[in-house]
Amino acid sequence: MFGRQSRAAWAAGLLVGVVGAGVLGGTPASAVEGDQPQDGAYSFTAKLDIGGKQSCSAALVDQEWLITAASCFADNPAKSLKIAAGAPKLKTTAVIGRTDLNSTGGVVANVVELVPRDDRDVVMAKLDKPVTGVTPVAIGSTAPAQGEELRVAGYGRTKSEWFPNRLHTAQFTVGGVKATSLDLVGKSADAAVCKGDTGGPAFREANGRIELAAVNSQSWQTGCLGANPAETRKGAVDTRVDDLVGWMQSLLSRGLLSKANWKNAEYLASGYFTGGSANGTRRMDLLVRWADDSVTLYQGADHSDPKYPFSAVYKLADAGSTFKHVRAITAGRFSADGTDGVIIRWVDGEVSQYTHVDAKGFHDEKMLAKPKNGVWENAKLITAGRYTGNALRDDLLVVWVNGSVSIYSDLGANALGKETQILKANSTWTHAEQIGSGEFTGSRTSDLMVRWSDGEGTIYSGVDTAGLHGEIMVRKPKETWTNAKLITVGAFAANVVPNDVLVRWSDGNVSMYTGVDKAGTHAEVQLVG
């Protein structure tokens, strides 16, 4: 494997405790010396052919992204591991999900972009097409501990083959743990990291779950075919990735929203569904009901790039699902357990509450109003917010078709609680097209944002059971917001106050206005389009 110091330094014995140098050698060989996994095992491992001159291993961490060692692409890794971001200098082909390279399974794709780290031997490699049928490996966020066992995989040489055709793996024990790397020692006499294994994954296995902890970087190559026969030192140095989750998510987020046709988004709801919280690092999630009646959940990211506020996407309902009957939806905290759920007004007037929503779906359904009740068929818009100061549950604010506005407080498990009409029927509020609850002004209760039919955007900074107070115009009438077809309020750019407003426009583009407050909507970040 590659060494970080010069050949002269290595020869002088200055790499004690580190791994030796040496170029990556001609054509590929087959990974780690050890056992041969069964077909289909560890299918997230990939083999890289770099210009037909050298070979490395990698791991699939997303449908369109691999992680591997930057040294695979360095001009002279014995002198420097730095590489330029962008397209690789040499055509690079990846074979993913093919335990036996002689088979036809898996996916073959080209690497079209490299995004390296400057502080360690690691690079993210973007593929020219999504990989389907192969589950990416999860990224562990826990630092490897001394004495912990990790399995290492790759397509490099073995002790008897220059060009193996199968994936190999071996068990290693973590020795020293440094800021960006860790030392590995083979558990068996034959365990070794060989040429061609560079960039391959080192991962933990527990309770049926696999988590990536590091990627192969350097090795003494003792026991590998073609290694220095006088070398007796063993072990390897791997590059840690557990502290790179945020950086990796920021890359995986790129293009996440643009994969969908947002003209088909018909309902939006935002909340902390997948483990985020106002006190944590993960941003708010976004729930979307599409025109084909499917439902998608976009998980909020925990990195700081506002251009990519979501890090993962999950399908919660397929096309043609019962969610075709949705006529209004809002998200909020409706239970004391600290998780967010949704309230839905269905086409027949039924009102349902799901006390929790996550990546696996909707949970704990409660009927709050029966179908065909003669009242809720007239609920035009709904939004959940902290309007009464209840510390445990949100309230429900409703705009009715006749222009009246109500707040339902003290929502119970099977009831809508107490209704307080805060505005009588009027012609003005029949022009309310979109509403959303948020924190914009620092008032003691949630603020209410309204997008009117003429495009005006208004914030009410004081909303409680006594009425609507503190009206602030943040977007003028008859301007761009006449084309704002959907809005939702949330902490999408950062978990801070004031909140952001996400807008789906009539042309299918999506924007986010960050840090909206009484002075206006401020910076617009284009997310789609």
Side-chain angles (χ1 to χ4, degrees):
M1 309 295 278
F2 296 126
R4 295 176 187 269
Q5 287 78 2
S6 68
R7 291 179 183 273
W10 175 73
L14 299 180
L15 291 183
V16 178
V18 191
V19 188
V23 267
L24 186 66
T27 30
S30 191
V32 181
E33 171 58 30
D35 62 301
Q36 293 187 0
Q38 295 180 349
D39 288 348
Y42 313 121
S43 58
F44 53 81
T45 307
K47 179 187 174 182
L48 300 179
D49 182 335
I50 304 171
K53 297 181 178 181
Q54 53 200 39
S55 172
C56 276
S57 300
L60 185 73
V61 292
D62 177 79
Q63 283 191 324
E64 294 181 340
W65 289 91
L66 300 172
I67 190 168
T68 187
S71 50
C72 293
F73 301 91
D75 291 334
N76 187 347
K79 291 184 177 180
S80 174
L81 300 180
K82 289 188 178 298
I83 63 173
K89 291 183 178 180
L90 301 175
K91 181 181 179 180
T92 301
T93 303
V95 180
I96 308 109
R98 191 174 293 178
T99 309
D100 182 351
L101 295 175
N102 289 323
S103 70
T104 58
V107 174
V108 179
N110 293 322
V111 173
V112 294
E113 181 184 3
L114 300 175
V115 183
R117 290 278 301 195
D118 292 332
D119 62 341
R120 66 193 75 183
D121 185 16
V122 73
V123 64
M124 292 284 283
K126 192 174 189 300
L127 302 172
D128 63 351
K129 61 183 179 182
V131 174
T132 58
V134 179
T135 302
V137 64
I139 311 300
S141 58
T142 303
Q146 188 171 12
E148 181 180 3
E149 291 186 11
L150 298 177
R151 182 175 292 276
V152 176
Y155 288 91
R157 297 177 185 174
T158 70
K159 65 181 179 181
S160 58
E161 295 177 285
W162 286 98
F163 312 115
N165 287 314
R166 289 190 64 88
L167 177 69
H168 287 250
T169 74
Q171 289 285 96
F172 286 76
T173 301
V174 176
V177 179
K178 303 177 181 64
T180 61
S181 64
L182 54 92
D183 299 327
L184 294 179
V185 179
K187 285 202 67 181
S188 67
D190 288 338
V193 175
C194 302
K195 289 183 180 180
D197 294 332
T198 308
F203 48 92
R204 55 174 64 95
E205 299 175 282
N207 302 319
R209 177 175 170 81
I210 295 176
E211 287 186 342
L212 182 68
V215 297
N216 302 329
S217 178
Q218 307 166 49
S219 169
W220 290 113
Q221 302 179 42
T222 303
C224 303
L225 188 62
N228 182 358
E231 181 58 67
T232 59
R233 288 170 291 185
K234 293 187 175 183
V237 170
D238 271 30
T239 302
R240 287 177 54 184
V241 300
D242 58 277
D243 59 336
L244 300 182
V245 174
W247 173 70
M248 294 169 68
Q249 283 189 346
S250 69
L251 297 177
L252 304 185
S253 302
R254 290 167 28 175
L256 191 67
L257 294 178
S258 60
K259 293 176 182 178
N261 182 355
W262 283 85
K263 277 189 175 182
N264 294 326
E266 295 192 338
Y267 296 94
L268 304 178
S270 51
Y272 292 107
F273 302 122
T274 62
S277 70
N279 299 319
T281 58
R282 183 178 291 176
R283 313 294 185 251
M284 197 170 278
D285 308 313
L286 178 67
L287 194 72
V288 185
R289 210 291 317 260
W290 304 92
D292 66 356
D293 311 319
S294 63
V295 180
T296 297
L297 175 63
Y298 289 90
Q299 178 180 294
D302 57 8
H303 58 75
S304 58
D305 192 337
K307 294 182 181 178
Y308 310 109
F310 307 106
S311 61
V313 59
Y314 305 96
K315 178 171 282 191
L316 304 191
D318 292 327
S321 72
T322 57
F323 287 91
K324 66 183 178 182
H325 301 299
V326 169
R327 291 300 177 268
I329 184 170
T330 186
R333 187 153 299 176
F334 305 121
S335 65
D337 64 3
T339 59
D340 284 358
V342 297
I343 287 179
I344 296 175
R345 196 275 283 180
W346 304 93
V347 66
D348 61 0
E350 179 183 343
V351 180
S352 297
Q353 176 191 100
Y354 295 90
T355 56
H356 182 57
V357 178
D358 58 22
K360 295 181 179 179
F362 298 83
H363 309 286
D364 196 19
E365 182 180 7
K366 309 289 183 182
M367 182 185 293
L368 304 185
K370 294 180 179 180
K372 301 178 181 179
N373 53 66
V375 175
W376 281 88
E377 293 92 329
N378 298 313
K380 179 182 179 183
L381 304 170
I382 62 175
T383 185
R386 203 64 54 87
Y387 293 114
T388 62
N390 188 321
L392 298 178
R393 297 180 180 88
D394 285 349
D395 311 302
L396 186 66
L397 186 144
V398 184
V399 177
W400 304 92
V401 292
N402 65 0
S404 62
V405 181
S406 299
I407 288 178
Y408 288 83
S409 56
D410 299 323
L411 275 72
N414 296 289
L416 281 162
K418 178 183 178 181
E419 180 188 8
T420 303
Q421 187 179 73
I422 61 173
L423 193 65
K424 293 182 178 180
N426 63 91
S427 59
T428 299
W429 276 78
T430 60
H431 294 287
E433 294 295 327
Q434 299 287 330
I435 61 174
S437 301
E439 297 180 51
F440 303 116
T441 64
S443 60
R444 69 178 184 85
T445 58
S446 295
D447 305 312
L448 178 67
M449 172 167 277
V450 183
R451 199 276 292 176
W452 305 91
S453 59
D454 64 358
E456 179 183 335
T458 301
I459 289 175
Y460 291 89
S461 60
V463 182
D464 53 30
T465 52
L468 298 158
H469 320 286
E471 181 178 356
I472 305 166
M473 181 188 296
V474 292
R475 299 293 296 189
K476 293 181 180 180
K478 299 180 181 179
E479 292 188 343
T480 57
W481 273 38
T482 55
N483 297 316
K485 295 306 178 184
L486 299 175
I487 69 166
T488 188
V489 176
F492 301 119
N495 278 332
V496 296
V497 175
N499 286 168
D500 315 304
V501 179
L502 189 146
V503 180
R504 195 277 278 176
W505 303 96
S506 57
D507 60 3
N509 290 339
V510 180
S511 299
M512 178 173 64
Y513 293 87
T514 60
V516 178
D517 58 22
K518 62 181 68 178
T521 51
H522 300 298
E524 179 183 4
V525 180
Q526 193 80 10
L527 303 181
V528 177

